[in-house]
Amino acid sequence: MLAASAQAREFKVDLIQFDPWAKRNPDPTAAEPNVGIIVDLLREFERRSGHSTIQTLTPYARVERDLEVGDCDFSIMAWGDARAAYANRGTAFVPLDFGVRARKGVRIRSYEDLKKIIVGAPRGLKVDPRFDVDPEIRKDLVLDYTLAIRKAVADRDAMAVAGSLSTIGHIIHKLKLEAEFGDVLVLNTTYLTVAFSKKSSQLGAEAQVNAVFKTMVDDGTAKRIYERWMFPPD
């Protein structure tokens, strides 16, 4: 227990409400109200540190706002340079490719190809600094990845889906829609990291929090949790 000699703390943590990162437990009788990659990482964090977490399932855009004003102490999310204005980058868990996956028959071999189609993406999601602000790319902003994928398959507004390629692939696999998708364009690679609010009242514990998560990276636990959820066996 890394915190055995220190006072146990309680941290407020926002859980990004995206499958498989964090979602409501499909079993209403279960003790754990939420499940997912982030939930399992936090459970292991609590076990190793002796600290506890108050976990709130939160829409993506709200997580950024909570970090900015200090309503949560930290979150675990894909890091982007824009976050440096309100959060400190902490322990990095796994690399994440961000880009666009197109419906079968839609060609996307270069960035310029994106300007010829409509791309679906979860509202508020940061995909790539250039893509996010490019007025020449038409975007269909929706609630979540699942809706963006279903609309692309149905040829309703969007012809491709933008965001975390591993997350998009996971949901496409769950929906058994692999045959409906083709070209993939990677726009950038970032990391899943701890994002610690600069306005957190517990900023003094930031280094200790990151140290606990670092032990999970070093012994392979973090990667195993990620792969167990992201690439589950059929």
Side-chain angles (χ1 to χ4, degrees), residues 42-222:
L42 291 172
R43 185 181 297 115
E44 182 65 12
F45 166 80
E46 292 176 334
R47 189 187 71 80
R48 295 187 184 207
S49 68
H51 299 316
S52 60
T53 59
I54 301 174
Q55 302 172 25
T56 305
L57 202 61
T58 311
Y60 179 90
R62 177 79 185 192
V63 174
E64 294 190 310
R65 179 262 175 200
D66 287 352
L67 287 169
E68 191 169 0
V69 301
D71 280 355
C72 71
D73 296 306
F74 68 88
S75 185
I76 297 176
M77 59 202 308
W79 182 259
D81 291 341
R83 295 199 216 296
Y86 53 83
N88 296 325
R89 174 175 171 165
T91 298
F93 296 98
V94 292
L96 298 174
D97 286 335
F98 274 69
V100 180
R101 188 163 178 178
R103 190 178 71 229
K104 191 173 182 179
V106 176
R107 179 185 175 92
I108 52 166
R109 303 295 173 82
S110 70
Y111 185 85
E112 292 302 308
D113 288 335
L114 299 179
K115 298 177 182 179
K116 305 171 187 175
I117 64 174
I118 300 174
V119 183
R123 187 174 288 106
L125 181 69
K126 291 187 172 52
V127 178
D128 173 78
R130 180 184 178 189
F131 174 92
D132 294 338
V133 300
D134 193 336
E136 294 187 63
I137 296 182
R138 293 170 292 165
K139 304 180 181 77
D140 178 34
L141 302 179
V142 297
L143 178 64
D144 56 28
Y145 283 117
T146 299
L147 183 56
I149 290 166
R150 290 192 183 281
K151 290 183 76 173
V153 170
D155 195 14
R156 289 178 49 217
D157 302 323
M159 296 168 247
V161 183
S164 163
L165 292 174
S166 58
T167 305
I168 293 169
H170 169 85
I171 297 173
I172 287 174
H173 177 76
K174 277 186 63 176
L175 297 174
K176 302 186 186 303
L177 293 173
E178 290 98 331
E180 303 294 331
F181 285 85
D183 285 359
V184 174
L185 181 66
V186 177
L187 297 178
N188 72 77
T189 300
T190 184
Y191 282 83
L192 178 70
T193 70
V194 176
F196 212 101
S197 171
K198 291 183 177 181
K199 291 191 176 179
S200 166
S201 60
Q202 305 206 67
L203 202 55
E206 179 185 8
Q208 184 185 121
V209 168
N210 281 308
V212 176
F213 282 122
K214 182 66 162 53
T215 67
M216 295 161 57
V217 174
D218 290 345
D219 67 13
T221 300

